[in-house]
Structures are given as structure tokens and as C-alpha cells.
Amino acid sequence: MTTTSEPTELSEPALSVRQVLTLERVLAGEPEVVAGAGQLDRPVRWVHVAEAPDVGVMLTGGEMVLTTGVLLAGDEDKQAEYIRSLHRAEASAVVLGLGRAFPAPPEVMRRAAERCGLPMVVLHRPFPFAELTEEVQCRLVRRKFAAVSLSESVRTALTALITAGAPLQSLLDEVASHSACPVVVTNLAHRVLATAGERSAVDDVLRDWERIARQAGGSEGDGWIRAELGGRGERWGQIMLCGHRGDTATGRLLADRAAEALVLHRMLGGNSAHTWEEQSAQSLLTDLVSGVVPARQLLPRARAAGLPVNRRTFVPLVVRDVEPGQLDRVLRMVGLSGLVAELADGAVAVLLSLARDQDAPVLTANFAARVHSEAARTVVAAADPRTAWDDVPTGLREAQHVADAADSSAALDLPAVVRLKDVHLRGLIRLLRDDPHVQSFAERELDGLLCAADEDMLSVLRTYLATGRNKSRTAQLHHVSRPALYRRLEAIQTRLGVDLDDFEQAASVHIALLAHDAQQS
């Protein structure tokens, strides 16, 4: 992997020796590589025609030197020193035109070039060096302007997104559109925080992420290019172009421009109160809950995000009235692995990942106890543990349903960890609240009170039924005398046309009221 410690200035565009040798004008000279064949990917920054034996002192590195060797003929020491001086000057290659001075490749120069690893090319047909110089220089200038144009285009687009308050994902999508390869952002622990690019290509990268994350580096030009993210002397992540097919200089330019934008985005808060780690977990858990993306396709993302997934037991939880940051701290305090994310309705989803030999109910209870010590009035809803990843979305939705049902009434005497069996009829009604038949039933049973929009009457009815039709307790909770309560109950019965002393009629009204409350919430 090509690495850069911080954003750099625009890289000098270059052609490789191999690319120069494929140019039509060069092919007309019948080029033959006689030494340094393994170094043909060296960049050519410039082309220089020189016959002087001490040409090395005039070079700054990266030049392809063209020569006829007319001043070297007959002196093998000069020939060897000529090659060594080019090597010391870090020339990219030497091209020797065969002719009067050297009708055949000089063996001394060939051996010296091979020892130095300097590509040496001979031209078997007469060739005007001016044409090659003109061709390469024109191409380099065009590449320079193209690089400048690309750099400014990327910078302008990313700056506009930041100014508009766009989320991190929009910036990465823009980078991916320019790089035409998967883009991955990680923290220092190599946990994936965000990705962009063609979905199938991103999934291929994430499937092999453990190996990629362990990889310390790679050869230049292998398409894996990264730029560090950080500022004020502190690093906090990196952005990677995974399998960039363009030249390395362009890839590094894109990575550096993206890194600059991401650092600025983070400094400005990214128009979000959540950290990138929190946004990553939120995106993953939201996709799991929604079921829009099959769980199997989300497994590489979960693994790359640092969640243990092999031979694990998963416990889906939904917690009410607590901040995600608090739950993150609790996870660290109890030493459990998991993801925490705020859902759309303000509840917080927690997905615990436990080893198969761990006691899931006990560890879940310990987690809930610590949560209650942080926020006493919160609700911790749990689904049954899942051993198959494909069952996790159903579990999260079950926990969300239990949390909704438990949160709908403060009168319920709930355990520390609320499960489906603890919400009884209320849970079933919550589950069926959007059914048209249930909605019609609730409106029909409560019509006498709903038409009058008498919230006080509804409140009294709600308390009376929730307390098991205990008149004394209901009067106490509403701060009224028993005679006053009797009058209100009589008025309620008259409006509804029911007898609340009859168990079946009272149960029917109670179910209708639960359905009404569920629909209103």
C-alpha cells in the first residue's frame, strides 16, 4: 500500500519507462530492452538528450537519457562510469541509438546497467531523438494539466459538499465516483467506519478485510493507496482507495484531496452530533432493523466494524431514555463486545456479541443492571439470544416491539430486562396496532368518549382498567373523592353504553383503549 503521512502537494505526473516504450514513435525505432527489464515501471519525469560522459551531474532524477554514445566509443571505463553516473543521479532509464559509434549493444554498458538495475534500451533503427523528446514532453504537459484540473475539480466538489453541511457518506461517494474503486475509512484500530463505491466491489473488500487490515504494506502501483487522517500532530484514522486502476500519482492525489476534505469535515462537526464510529454503528443497525438489506450481505460490514461474528451468540436489545454514549461506556465497563446505535424513534439499539460458552441471560442481566444504575427510569428490552446471524434482524425488531409496549405504560411492574412474555396483552396490541380491523374496533368501542374528545374521561378510564378496576386506587391517583369518581365512571359507562362491572365488557373496552393508545403513540 502506498502511504502518505499527511496531504501533499500535487504529485508530478509521469509516464513509466514501459509506457514510453509503447509509444508509436518509439516502436518505429525497434526498441530492445537489454538490461534492467525488471525496472520498467520506473516513472519518467522528463526526457533528456545528452552525449557528455559526465551527464549525471546535470540530472535531478527521473530522467530518461537519450544518447548515441559517440563520446564513449572505444573507452570501456568511460562506458561503465557513464552508466554508474546515471544510476547515482537516479535516472529512470538510458536509451542508446545504435549506429556508427555502437553498431551493437556494448557489453560493458549492458553489464553495468544490469548490476545497477538501470533499464537500458537500444534502438535498432535510426531514430530522431527530437521526435521522442517532443512526444514525451507533450504527454507529460498534458498529464500535468489534467492532474491540476482533476485536483481542483475534486477539491471544489468536496468543499461544496462540506459547505452545504453534507454527511460523510456524500463526501465518500464523490471520492468513489472519481477513483472508480471502493473507498474505505477506518480508525486507528483498522475498524471500518464508512465505505463508498459499487456495492458488490465494497462487499468483496470487506469480506477480506481482516487480511487487508493486517497487511503492513504493498508495492507501489498495486492500487492500494491510503492517506492518513489527522491534525495538530494527532492521527485518528485513514482513508483507503482499494484497487485503484489508474496510475499511482493520480490515486495518491485523490486520496490526499479526500483526506484534506475529511479532516475539515470532522473539524467542522460534519453537521452531526455523532462521531463517525457512532454513525457507522447506526447505519449498520438501522439496515439490520429495517430488513431492506439481507442480513447475510451485512455480515462483512459487521465484521469489518470490529464486531465478533464467528461462532457467537447475539443478544438484541433496545433501551429507552438513555444516551448512546452512556451505553458505550457500560459496554466497556462490563467488558462485552457489541454495537450501539440510536434508532429513528429515539430508542437505542444494542447488539451484544457473546462467546458461545458464555451465559447470555446472566451477562444480559448484568448489562441491564449497570444501565439502570446509570439511568434508573430506563427500559431495557431484550429478544431471545440468536446463534445465527440471519436471525439478528428479527431479534432487533422483537426487542424494539417489546420496548414500545413496555414504554407505553408506567403502571406496568417490569423486570430489569423486559422480554416479550413480560408485556402480555399490551405487547400483542402494540404488534397489531396498524391493522385496520383493530383500528375500527377501537374507534367503535370508544366512540362515545372519542367524539367528545374528553381526555380527562379517557385518563380516568385508563387508570381504572389498569388498576384492575380498583376504585379506591383510581380515586387516589386522580386526587378525587370516591363519590366524585363514581359519578365520572357512571358518565363514562353512559357515553360508551357499557357496564364496566361486567368482566367481558370491561375487557373489550380495555383492549380498545390499549389499541387506541398504541395507535396514538
Side-chain angles (χ1 to χ4, degrees), residues 433-448:
R433 62 184 174 181
D434 294 326
D435 188 296
H437 297 292
V438 174
Q439 293 173 353
S440 297
F441 169 76
E443 291 177 5
R444 184 170 61 252
E445 290 291 303
L446 301 175
D447 183 62

Side-chain angles (χ1 to χ4, degrees), residues 60-213:
T60 59
E63 295 90 351
M64 173 180 278
V65 176
L66 311 180
T67 182
T68 62
V70 66
L71 299 181
L72 303 175
D75 191 330
E76 293 187 348
D77 290 339
K78 282 186 177 181
Q79 294 169 22
E81 178 56 28
Y82 182 81
I83 296 296
R84 289 193 292 269
S85 69
L86 293 180
H87 172 64
R88 289 193 296 271
E90 298 182 346
S92 60
V94 58
V95 178
L96 175 66
L98 301 182
R100 185 183 308 171
F102 290 103
E107 187 62 19
V108 171
M109 294 179 70
R110 191 197 67 77
R111 288 199 305 268
E114 194 65 52
R115 284 194 297 271
C116 293
L118 176 71
M120 179 175 175
V121 182
V122 297
L123 301 174
H124 289 277
R125 291 175 62 86
F127 185 88
F129 285 165
E131 289 187 11
L132 174 57
T133 303
E134 179 184 12
E135 175 79 8
V136 174
Q137 315 302 43
C138 286
R139 286 176 178 266
L140 289 175
V141 169
R142 286 199 297 270
R143 288 164 70 92
K144 177 70 173 180
F145 279 116
V148 171
S149 176
L150 174 63
S151 175
E152 289 309 306
S153 173
V154 172
R155 177 183 278 130
T156 299
L158 294 178
T159 301
L161 288 172
I162 294 172
T163 303
L168 170 66
Q169 190 61 52
S170 296
L171 273 68
L172 296 183
D173 289 342
E174 184 70 25
V175 175
S177 70
H178 286 282
S179 64
C181 70
V183 177
V184 177
V185 174
T186 73
N187 61 15
L188 293 181
H190 303 295
R191 292 189 175 184
V192 174
L193 305 180
T195 62
E198 185 182 346
R199 190 71 262 164
S200 60
V202 171
D203 288 344
D204 287 342
V205 169
L206 295 185
R207 258 183 228 106
D208 201 25
W209 186 253
E210 291 182 5
R211 181 189 64 80
I212 293 171

Side-chain angles (χ1 to χ4, degrees), residues 217-290:
S219 59
E220 179 113 345
D222 63 1
W224 293 84
I225 300 172
R226 65 185 178 188
E228 303 295 342
L229 302 175
R232 299 176 182 174
E234 180 184 6
R235 292 191 309 118
W236 37 261
Q238 66 179 2
I239 182 170
M240 298 178 60
L241 307 186
C242 305
H244 178 62
R245 292 188 178 89
D247 62 85
T248 303
T250 300
R252 189 181 296 114
L253 179 151
L254 286 170
D256 287 344
R257 291 298 170 262
E260 291 173 1
L262 264 57
V263 169
L264 179 59
H265 183 273
R266 181 157 171 146
M267 288 174 58
L268 296 177
N271 199 33
S272 171
H274 301 294
T275 66
W276 288 356
E277 287 81 358
E278 290 170 342
Q279 292 179 53
S280 174
Q282 184 177 41
S283 173
L284 175 59
L285 290 184
T286 299
D287 285 346
L288 279 169
V289 171
S290 69

